[in-house]
Amino acid sequence: MNAISKISSNLDVAQLHIIQEFHISICDFSIVFQPIYDIRNQSIRYMEALLRTKDQRFSNPLEAVEYFVNKGKSDVLTAMLFQLCENYIKSFARNGILTTINFEPQQIASKRFVPLLKKIFQNMRMCPGSVLLEVTERDCPEKYRTQFISNLLKLKKLGFRIAIDDFGVANSNFDLLSEVPFDLIKLDMVFLRNAMASPIHFAVLEICSSLQKKIGIPVCIEGVENDELLELVKRLNVDYAQGYGLGRPKPFDELHN
C-alpha cells in the first residue's frame, strides 16, 4: 500500500480533497527526532518527532502546520504525520522509548480529532500508550477551549499520554494543569536560557521544577545547550531534560551513528 493509500484509509473523500486541490505531497515532508533524556538513568526516555518540509511554499514547518489548520484541514495533517511516523513509533516502542508528537490546540479541538486518532491507531495496529501528545494552549482561542479540554480528557481515557508543552509562557497554563491529568510538564526553554543571568528566571525555574514533587507530574526542562546548563538542571532535581547539548534533531537513520 502506498503512502496516499494509507492516508486515504484514515480519511473520508472530502478530507482527501485538499491533497489534490492544493497539490500536497507526503514526499515533501519528513520527520527528524530529538531525544529527551532521563537524567537519573542517563538514558533516552522519549523521542520528539519534529516535522520538516521541502515544499517551497513554506519557509518553515510551522507555516505548513498553520496552512493546514487555517484551511480547516488539520485532519489531513494529523493522518499524514502518523503515516510518516508509524514505523518509527513502533521501532522506538520495541526499545521502551515513547514518541512525542506536537499538536496545535485547534487540531485537538476538532470534533473529528479523537475518532480520527482511534481509527489511525486501529488501522496501524499501534498502542495509544506508545505516543505522548505534546500540547499547549498558547494559541487556543477561547471558543475552542471547552472542546480542547474535553478531547484531551477523552484521549487520556483511550490510553494516550499527554504532555503540556511550553509551560510557563502561556496565559492559562496553570488553569489547564488543574483540569487535565498530564503525564509530563515541559518547561519552556526561555527560563533555563536566562536562569544564569536573571534571578527572576531562575526563581521561576525553581518553582516550576518543584511541581514534580508537589503534584507528582514529571518535569522536563527544555533548552539544555551545554554542560553548565545540564549541571544546573541536575541540581533542580527534575527527571528529564532536552536540548542541543544532549542531542540535536536527526533523521531516524542517523540516530544510531
Side-chain angles (χ1 to χ4, degrees):
M1 185 182 291
N2 62 35
I4 294 299
S5 296
K6 287 186 177 182
I7 293 176
S8 301
S9 68
N10 295 311
L11 298 172
D12 59 33
V13 174
Q15 292 166 333
L16 281 171
H17 182 58
I18 192 174
I19 295 177
Q20 288 81 29
E21 181 182 355
F22 298 101
H23 307 289
I24 298 296
S25 172
I26 193 173
C27 298
D28 289 331
F29 294 86
S30 60
I31 299 292
V32 294
F33 297 93
Q34 185 177 25
I36 297 174
Y37 276 88
D38 182 324
I39 298 176
R40 292 184 175 84
N41 295 329
Q42 297 184 338
S43 60
I44 297 173
R45 175 54 177 155
Y46 303 99
M47 277 291 189
E48 182 173 357
L50 301 166
L51 186 68
R52 296 291 183 262
T53 180
K54 56 185 178 182
D55 190 313
Q56 296 300 312
R57 289 170 293 181
F58 311 120
S59 60
N60 58 63
L62 182 57
E63 279 192 8
V65 172
E66 291 174 344
Y67 174 85
F68 281 99
V69 172
N70 292 338
K71 291 289 183 182
K73 302 296 183 181
S74 62
D75 294 345
V76 177
L77 174 63
T78 300
M80 184 173 68
L81 189 57
F82 278 106
Q83 176 53 42
L84 289 167
C85 290
E86 176 186 3
N87 291 334
Y88 308 131
I89 292 172
K90 293 176 179 177
S91 178
F92 290 137
R94 286 193 291 270
N95 292 285
I97 297 172
L98 306 184
T99 303
T100 81
I101 303 177
N102 293 273
F103 290 95
E104 291 296 303
Q106 290 186 53
Q107 282 180 273
I108 294 172
S110 167
K111 292 181 179 180
R112 299 185 299 269
F113 186 77
V114 175
L116 177 60
L117 252 61
K118 287 178 65 177
K119 187 175 183 181
I120 288 172
F121 275 71
Q122 287 170 357
N123 289 348
M124 294 182 173
R125 297 181 180 179
M126 294 192 299
C127 172
S130 63
V131 170
L132 180 80
L133 310 178
E134 292 195 27
V135 302
T136 175
E137 61 173 346
R138 181 183 60 246
D139 302 314
C140 185
E142 188 61 32
K143 65 179 180 179
Y144 296 117
R145 193 173 188 276
T146 300
Q147 187 66 46
F148 172 63
I149 292 174
S150 174
N151 280 355
L152 289 178
L153 295 175
K154 289 176 183 177
L155 290 165
K156 283 289 296 182
K157 288 182 179 179
L158 290 172
F160 288 95
R161 303 168 194 249
I162 303 176
I164 183 167
D165 195 17
D166 299 332
F167 188 80
V169 295
N171 292 332
S172 302
N173 266 172
F174 283 96
D175 286 343
L176 188 60
L177 190 61
S178 68
E179 295 183 75
V180 179
F182 288 99
D183 298 281
L184 182 69
I185 298 171
K186 297 187 73 179
L187 300 186
D188 191 83
M189 67 176 64
V190 67
F191 298 110
L192 183 62
R193 182 180 295 164
N194 297 310
M196 304 296 286
S198 167
I200 293 177
H201 280 90
F202 181 75
V204 173
L205 192 64
E206 278 191 310
I207 292 169
C208 292
S209 297
S210 71
L211 290 172
Q212 179 166 301
K213 183 177 181 180
K214 292 181 181 297
I215 62 178
I217 302 177
V219 170
C220 172
I221 296 181
E222 299 178 305
V224 180
E225 309 298 328
N226 53 52
D227 290 341
E228 184 179 20
L229 291 177
L230 179 59
E231 289 305 312
L232 174 59
V233 169
K234 288 179 178 178
R235 291 202 302 272
L236 290 168
N237 201 33
V238 298
D239 279 339
Y240 303 109
Q242 182 180 22
Y244 280 11
L246 294 170
R248 290 178 175 270
K250 294 181 180 180
F252 180 83
D253 292 343
E254 297 179 16
L255 292 175
H256 304 291
N257 294 341

